[in-house]
């Protein structure tokens, strides 16, 4: 017995590595690892192709979840994803029927929001609606809700706000403010009168300059220049 190796010492089990020839030295297989053949099974059945209409509906709903879209915008998104025109028309027609797509409501909301938030006039708003594919008649109906009086009041408010931080001679300020309103789509007559009235109420020097401005004549001249430089459709 003295020559036999003891498996247990007085202080615990012998932790030394097993000797060659000892029993139970076969390594155990590692757990948690799958055979590679299970991961790449050549007999696996490929997933069936998805229905094109289902894909088109998912694309539209993702687009609409971000913000409202016009029919033309959704059609463009479907075309970019390779959806056929036939399937695109079917899906969009159905969305029209149930009211998910409503270009008239889109146009009204766009006009209200952009006029109140950015102070855009009807001309600029018409251009934005056209870029988004809104039909001309639908756009005109929405723009009709923005009357001339409201447009003139907004122009005056924009000018008064800009005047608080404007610096320079009255003529330079006048040109900058008229240009600002023109970029927002205001007609020359509306822009010039709004700036003239605001300057007249600002200071004696500005009022003296404003008194010399012939708003009607200047508006006619600006209108003719605008028509000459406007690109043809």
């Amino acid at each position: 017995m003295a020559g036999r190796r003891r498996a247990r010492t007085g202080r615990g089990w012998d932790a030394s590595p097993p000797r060659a020839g000892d029993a139970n030295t076969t390594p155990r297989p590692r757990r948690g690892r799958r055979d590679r053949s299970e991961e790449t099974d050549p007999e696996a059945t490929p997933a069936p192709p998805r229905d094109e209409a289902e894909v088109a509906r998912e694309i539209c709903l993702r687009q609409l979840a971000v913000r409202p879209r016009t029919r033309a915008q959704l059609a463009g998104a479907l075309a970019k994803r390779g959806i056929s025109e036939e399937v695109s028309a079917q899906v969009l027609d159905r969305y029209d029927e149930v009211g998910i797509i409503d270009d008239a409501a889109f146009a009204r909301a766009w006009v209200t929001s952009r006029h109140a938030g950015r102070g855009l006039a009807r001309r600029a708003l018409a251009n934005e609606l056209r870029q988004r594919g809104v039909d001309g008649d639908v756009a005109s109906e929405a723009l009709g809700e923005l009357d001339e009086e409201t447009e003139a009041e907004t122009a005056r408010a924009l000018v008064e706000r800009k005047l608080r931080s404007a610096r320079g001679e009255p003529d330079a300020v006048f040109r900058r403010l008229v240009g600002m309103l023109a970029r927002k789509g205001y007609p020359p007559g509306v822009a010039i009168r709004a700036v003239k009235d605001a300057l007249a109420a600002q200071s004696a020097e500005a009022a003296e300059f404003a008194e010399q401005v012939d708003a009607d004549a200047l508006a006619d001249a600006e209108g003719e220049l605008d028509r000459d430089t406007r690109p043809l459709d």
Side-chain angles (χ1 to χ4, degrees):
M1 296 295 291
R4 294 180 61 184
R5 181 172 177 269
R6 298 178 64 185
R8 186 171 183 176
T9 67
R11 301 179 63 180
W13 291 101
D14 186 2
S16 61
R19 299 175 183 177
D22 286 354
N24 300 327
T25 58
T26 303
R28 296 181 179 179
R30 296 181 180 179
R31 296 180 179 178
R33 299 185 63 182
R34 295 189 304 173
D35 188 358
R36 289 181 176 275
S37 62
E38 296 177 3
E39 299 177 1
T40 57
D41 185 2
E43 301 297 330
T45 303
R50 298 181 64 193
D51 179 67
E52 188 179 13
E54 180 184 353
V55 175
R57 287 191 291 269
E58 289 185 0
I59 294 171
C60 289
L61 292 176
R62 284 198 300 269
Q63 292 279 317
L64 292 169
V66 177
R67 61 176 179 271
R69 313 272 182 169
T70 64
R71 180 182 176 118
Q73 288 177 313
L74 292 176
L78 293 176
K80 289 181 180 179
R81 294 290 299 273
I83 303 299
S84 66
E85 292 184 5
E86 180 181 2
V87 171
S88 176
Q90 292 174 355
V91 171
L92 295 178
D93 285 346
R94 178 55 180 164
Y95 280 4
D96 271 331
E97 292 175 5
V98 299
I100 296 178
I101 301 175
D102 189 340
D103 281 4
F106 176 93
R108 290 192 299 269
W110 187 271
V111 168
T112 301
S113 174
R114 298 287 284 177
H115 180 74
R118 298 289 303 276
L120 298 184
R122 283 175 292 183
R123 178 174 170 180
L125 292 168
N127 185 50
E128 290 188 343
L129 292 175
R130 183 169 58 251
Q131 292 175 350
R132 285 154 182 79
V134 177
D135 178 77
D137 292 338
V138 174
S140 295
E141 183 176 353
L143 292 168
E145 298 182 7
L146 178 60
D147 56 41
E148 294 182 359
E149 183 178 354
T150 301
E151 198 173 52
E153 290 175 355
T154 303
R156 176 65 183 270
L158 287 170
V159 171
E160 290 177 347
R161 185 161 62 245
K162 289 291 185 179
L163 270 178
R164 296 169 190 165
S165 58
R167 298 293 182 271
E169 297 298 322
D171 59 336
V173 173
F174 177 84
R175 290 193 300 270
R176 287 202 304 271
L177 293 179
V178 169
M180 178 270 294
L181 291 178
R183 289 190 295 273
K184 290 181 177 292
Y186 288 90
V190 174
I192 291 169
R193 290 185 183 90
V195 177
K196 177 180 178 177
D197 293 344
L199 284 174
Q202 185 191 35
S203 65
E205 181 184 6
E208 183 179 355
F209 169 82
E211 187 65 26
Q212 300 173 5
V213 174
D214 187 338
D216 293 333
L218 188 55
D220 291 341
E222 291 289 341
E224 291 178 4
L225 179 61
D226 181 63
R227 287 190 294 271
D228 292 340
T229 57
R230 187 181 303 175
L232 298 177
D233 294 332

